[in-house]
Amino acid sequence: MSLAKRHAVVTGSTSGIGLAIARALAKEGADVMINGFGDVKAIETERAGIEKEFGVKAFYNGADMSKGAEVEAMIADAGAKMGSVDIVVNNAGIQFVSPIEEFPPEKWDAIIAINLTSAFHTIRAAVPGMKAQKWGRIINTASAHSLVASPFKSAYVAAKHGLAGLTKTVALELATFGVTANCISPGYVWTPLVESQIPDTMKARHMTREQVINEVMLGGQPTKQFVTVDQVASLAVYLCSDSASQITGANLSIDGGWTAE
Ligand code: NAD
């Protein structure tokens, strides 16, 4: 297995894309620390399941990504439990949709904190160890919204553009240390979160399920297909491989052609 003896922290990995990335890294032999909110029993079942299924060690840390001190403590905890932090995947993210003049300042602050500033904290905490061992992988789940905007998503778009800028800066600082930093920028990904929005949108817009999917969700995605969480996870695994050692500072789109338009 290509990632045996590597140790990964994946933020926001109790659900969706983060969970798929954590499981894919574990499948390749990496020990993982998962993080995120949710039902305590369900998280423990997932954690134990990763250990059983893939024969690796899996840990859970419930740090709130909006709190810098908790983020920093999580990286220390990961280092103490796993021996090192070789891979950091900054994936936790939230969304809020509102016209700019009505955008609640506390929602703006939360989105910037969780979607952008938490990555600053994980990276600054993990980099000394990565530099010392001359190997590391930093992967940031950005979005098509790190490259283009949509109306009513000011905080999210600002945070994701910021994350892309942070990624490039860190890539340059670490270029000679065997540490890469890249963004993965998905378009619409089929996650439970997305699926659960369909019934309400059907009601609100008087549309069929097919209309919601094709006109609302996939309207801007030229392939007219969702990205899958496993496709995103495969790209993350690839970025951790030695084949990807010269990919750094990149913003890799996986968006069915969305940002080509
Ligand atoms: P999701 O809601 O399924 O997962 C989000 C994860 O973040 C969960 O584990 C949640 O518990 C965790 N989280 C939220 N707030 C947190 C906090 N304060 N502290 C710690 N954990 C927290 O969403 P997803 O669709 O899997 O999204 C994951 C990432 O992918 C996000 O950064 C999102 O912006 C990005 N993304 C998603 C899509 C999509 O279409 N689903 C597209 C592009 C980018």
Side-chain angles (χ1 to χ4, degrees), residues 4 51 75 81 95-96 120 122 131 147 149 174 201-202 209 211 213 216 225-226 241-242 255 258:
E51 288 196 333
I75 296 296
K81 291 203 166 97
Q95 175 64 283
F96 192 80
F120 162 68
T122 61
K131 274 172 109 169
L147 295 161
L174 302 177
T201 314
M202 284 167 66
R209 181 181 164 87
Q211 281 173 315
I213 289 174
V216 181
Q225 288 181 36
F226 286 96
S241 72
D242 289 337
D255 64 3
W258 175 349

Side-chain angles (χ1 to χ4, degrees), residues 183-201:
C183 282
I184 295 179
S185 284
Y188 245 107
V189 185
W190 186 254
T191 63
L193 196 81
V194 166
E195 194 174 6
S196 68
Q197 290 168 24
I198 293 174
D200 282 348
T201 314

Side-chain angles (χ1 to χ4, degrees), residues 101-162:
E101 68 274 26
E102 292 164 21
F103 213 96
E106 60 277 14
K107 291 285 183 198
W108 171 278
D109 288 344
I111 289 178
I112 299 297
I114 295 165
N115 297 20
L116 174 58
T117 309
S118 70
F120 162 68
H121 289 301
T122 61
I123 291 168
R124 73 183 177 84
V127 154
M130 290 179 175
K131 274 172 109 169
Q133 68 184 14
K134 292 224 166 235
W135 197 94
R137 293 288 186 266
I138 297 165
I139 299 169
N140 298 324
T141 310
S143 166
H145 283 121
S146 74
L147 295 161
V148 296
S150 296
F152 313 123
K153 295 184 175 176
S154 53
Y156 187 86
V157 171
K160 294 299 187 179
H161 274 65

